[in-house]
Coordinates of all heavy atoms in Angstrom, one line a residue:
Y137 N -176.4 -45.8 147.0 CA -177.7 -45.6 146.4 C -178.8 -45.9 147.5 O -179.5 -46.8 147.4 CB -177.9 -46.4 145.2 CG -176.9 -46.4 144.1 CD1 -175.9 -47.2 144.0 CD2 -176.9 -45.2 143.2 CE1 -174.9 -47.2 143.0 CE2 -176.0 -45.1 142.2 CZ -175.0 -46.1 142.1 OH -174.0 -46.0 141.1
P138 N -179.0 -45.0 148.5 CA -179.8 -45.3 149.7 C -181.2 -45.5 149.4 O -181.9 -46.3 150.2 CB -179.5 -44.1 150.6 CG -179.0 -43.0 149.7 CD -178.2 -43.7 148.6
S139 N -181.8 -44.9 148.3 CA -183.2 -45.0 148.0 C -183.5 -46.1 147.1 O -184.7 -46.3 146.7 CB -183.7 -43.7 147.5 OG -183.1 -43.3 146.3
Q140 N -182.5 -46.8 146.6 CA -182.8 -47.9 145.5 C -183.3 -49.2 146.1 O -182.6 -49.7 147.1 CB -181.5 -48.1 144.8 CG -181.6 -49.2 143.7 CD -182.5 -48.8 142.6 OE1 -182.5 -47.7 142.1 NE2 -183.4 -49.7 142.4
I141 N -184.3 -49.7 145.6 CA -184.8 -51.0 146.0 C -183.9 -52.1 145.4 O -183.7 -52.2 144.2 CB -186.3 -51.3 145.5 CG1 -187.2 -50.1 146.0 CG2 -186.8 -52.7 146.0 CD1 -188.6 -50.3 145.5
I142 N -183.4 -53.0 146.3 CA -182.5 -54.1 145.9 C -183.3 -55.5 146.0 O -183.8 -55.7 147.2 CB -181.3 -54.1 146.7 CG1 -180.5 -52.8 146.6 CG2 -180.3 -55.3 146.3 CD1 -180.1 -52.5 145.1
M143 N -183.2 -56.3 145.1 CA -183.8 -57.5 145.1 C -182.8 -58.6 145.1 O -181.8 -58.5 144.4 CB -184.7 -57.8 143.9 CG -185.3 -59.2 143.8 SD -186.5 -59.2 142.4 CE -186.7 -61.1 142.2
G144 N -182.9 -59.6 146.0 CA -181.9 -60.6 146.2 C -182.4 -61.9 145.3 O -183.4 -62.4 145.7
D145 N -181.7 -62.4 144.4 CA -182.1 -63.7 143.7 C -181.5 -64.8 144.5 O -180.3 -64.9 144.6 CB -181.6 -63.7 142.3 CG -182.3 -62.7 141.3 OD1 -183.5 -62.2 141.7 OD2 -181.8 -62.4 140.3
I146 N -182.3 -65.6 145.2 CA -181.9 -66.7 146.0 C -182.3 -68.0 145.5 O -183.1 -68.0 144.6 CB -182.4 -66.4 147.5 CG1 -183.9 -66.3 147.5 CG2 -181.8 -65.1 148.1 CD1 -184.6 -67.6 147.8
S147 N -181.8 -69.1 146.1 CA -182.0 -70.4 145.7 C -182.5 -71.3 146.8 O -183.2 -72.3 146.6 CB -180.8 -71.1 145.1 OG -179.8 -71.4 146.0
D148 N -182.4 -70.8 148.0 CA -183.0 -71.7 149.1 C -183.3 -70.8 150.3 O -183.1 -69.5 150.3 CB -182.0 -72.8 149.5 CG -180.7 -72.3 150.2 OD1 -180.7 -71.1 150.6 OD2 -179.7 -73.0 150.3

Side-chain angles (χ1 to χ4, degrees):
Y137 306 102
S139 62
Q140 179 63 49
I141 301 173
I142 302 299
M143 174 175 168
D145 289 343
I146 55 92
S147 68
D148 67 15

